[in-house]
């Protein structure tokens, strides 16, 4: 569940733009992070709604069917003794979006999405590796040209109705830092980060990157959503450069990833601290 969620009560349906689609959201609560994605025109592309049961909002011990996030992606039962109605609504809203967006060839992906000079890049890793820190270092040394579209779970579109054009979108799921931006960019690179004492980067073949893509992608359990989610993964593997970065948390890590992913000279683009 996104630790950055805070909730506001809503009296009627809200329309939000996520992944380039207008989605109708109904229920008693709306995460305040969604307010940056509100859409005023009221056109509905995807019927998305939280599945709210009759909870009284008090803390209670509940057993939920949750999809574990991050790099496990398996269905499990979990006891959540501190769960409130807001917690349940947030998780179910996330699940509803994950399943519904896939029907239109969009997936929620576990990573940090940055936009630089009109191009999008996604850094992914197991939780705690430092993908957010790496994105912050890009901002530190490359300045305001770096925009973080999502600090935890951007939306990626491609395949099917989207064709070969793969796009990364900001989303309301900004992680514990609550960083998100309502924007998008053509996806020009996906980079798996691993920790190391020195910095190096290498291109990865699609067949080697498949496991990472599947592990980090929200994958619906039923068709046709599941098949269409896989088509998005195929589009990324076929059309986007894939990288493996081994790095520490130094400026050299930024230089290494930046020059490989963008093809630009780091010293010419560096703006200082």
């Amino acid at each position: 569940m996104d630790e950055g969620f805070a909730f506001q009560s809503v009296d009627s349906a809200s329309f939000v733009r996520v992944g380039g689609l207008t989605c109708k959201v109904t229920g008693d609560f709306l995460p305040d992070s969604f307010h940056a994605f509100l859409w005023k025109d009221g056109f509905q592309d995807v019927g998305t709604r939280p599945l709210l049961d009759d909870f009284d909002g008090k803390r209670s011990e509940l057993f939920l069917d949750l999809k574990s996030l991050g790099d496990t992606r398996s269905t499990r039962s979990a006891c959540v003794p501190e769960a409130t109605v807001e917690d349940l609504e947030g998780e179910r809203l996330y699940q509803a979006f994950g399943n519904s967006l896939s029907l239109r060839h969009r997936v929620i992906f576990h990573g940090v999405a940055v936009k630089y000079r009109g191009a999008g890049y996604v850094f992914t890793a197991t939780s705690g590796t430092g993908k957010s820190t790496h994105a912050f270092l890009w901002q530190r040394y490359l300045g305001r040209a770096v925009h973080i579209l999502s600090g935890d779970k951007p939306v990626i579109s491609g395949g099917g109705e989207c064709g070969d054009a793969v796009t990364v979108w900001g989303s309301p799921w900004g992680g514990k830092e609550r960083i998100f931006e309502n924007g998008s960019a053509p996806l020009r690179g996906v980079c798996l980060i691993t920790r190391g004492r020195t910095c190096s980067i290498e291109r990865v073949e699609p067949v080697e990157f498949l496991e990472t893509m599947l592990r980090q992608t929200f994958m619906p359990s039923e068709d046709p959503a599941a098949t269409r989610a896989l088509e998005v993964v195929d589009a990324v593997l076929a059309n986007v450069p894939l990288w493996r970065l081994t790095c520490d948390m130094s400026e050299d890590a930024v230089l290494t990833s930046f020059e490989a992913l963008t093809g630009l000279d780091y010293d010419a683009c560096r703006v200082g601290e």
Side-chain angles (χ1 to χ4, degrees):
M1 191 181 303
D2 193 318
E3 299 176 19
F5 272 22
F7 285 73
Q8 302 290 334
S9 296
V10 293
D11 297 325
S12 59
S14 298
F15 293 86
V16 294
R17 290 285 291 181
V18 178
L21 298 176
T22 307
C23 309
K24 181 180 180 181
V25 181
T26 62
D28 294 333
F29 297 94
L30 184 70
D32 65 358
S33 58
F34 274 73
H35 290 188
F37 297 83
L38 285 174
W39 186 253
K40 304 299 185 182
D41 294 340
F43 177 76
Q44 182 180 358
D45 288 329
V46 179
T48 300
R49 56 169 298 160
L51 307 174
L52 180 63
D53 290 333
D54 294 327
F55 301 117
D56 60 6
K58 297 179 182 180
R59 295 181 181 274
S60 58
E61 183 168 307
L62 298 167
F63 283 87
L64 309 175
D65 286 328
L66 301 178
K67 284 210 172 176
S68 55
L69 307 182
D71 46 341
T72 54
R73 294 292 168 196
S74 58
T75 302
R76 62 182 174 85
S77 292
C79 181
V80 188
E82 73 281 10
T84 66
V85 65
E86 290 90 347
D87 297 327
L88 300 173
E89 189 80 343
E91 176 63 23
R92 294 178 181 203
L93 185 60
Y94 170 80
Q95 297 286 334
F97 265 96
N99 285 298
S100 297
L101 288 173
S102 296
L103 292 170
R104 295 291 299 272
H105 291 92
R106 279 95 171 150
V107 297
I108 301 174
F109 188 79
H110 182 210
V112 178
V114 302
K115 180 178 180 180
Y116 181 80
R117 295 187 181 180
Y121 307 94
V122 172
F123 298 106
T124 189
T126 56
S127 297
T129 300
K131 55 186 181 295
S132 297
T133 301
H134 191 77
F136 295 152
L137 288 172
W138 269 49
Q139 287 188 319
R140 177 179 178 180
Y141 293 109
L142 298 164
R144 295 182 179 180
V146 178
H147 300 264
I148 298 180
L149 297 177
S150 173
D152 190 45
K153 297 181 182 72
V155 172
I156 297 176
S157 62
E161 66 182 69
C162 304
D164 293 337
V166 181
T167 303
V168 61
W169 306 80
S171 82
W173 298 284
K176 60 180 180 294
E177 295 90 0
R178 301 186 65 201
I179 298 175
F180 47 82
E181 183 175 309
N182 190 351
S184 65
L187 184 57
R188 297 293 185 244
V190 180
C191 183
L192 173 65
I193 297 177
T194 59
R195 287 184 178 178
R197 295 184 179 181
T198 59
C199 299
S200 63
I201 192 167
E202 61 180 346
R203 282 288 294 267
V204 180
E205 293 297 321
V207 66
E208 299 178 64
F209 212 82
L210 175 60
E211 181 182 354
T212 295
M213 286 297 303
L214 293 177
R215 186 173 63 237
Q216 303 294 69
T217 298
F218 179 99
M219 195 61 62
S221 59
E222 298 181 357
D223 277 330
T227 296
R228 294 176 187 176
L230 289 173
E231 290 172 355
V232 179
V233 171
D234 286 342
V236 173
L237 295 175
N239 298 288
V240 179
L242 310 168
W243 303 87
R244 181 184 297 111
L245 171 69
T246 301
C247 68
D248 53 20
M249 299 301 169
S250 67
E251 183 180 2
D252 188 44
V254 180
L255 182 156
T256 302
S257 65
F258 177 80
E259 291 194 338
L261 269 65
T262 68
L264 300 173
D265 180 72
Y266 175 74
D267 290 333
C269 299
R270 187 185 187 279
V271 298
E273 301 184 39

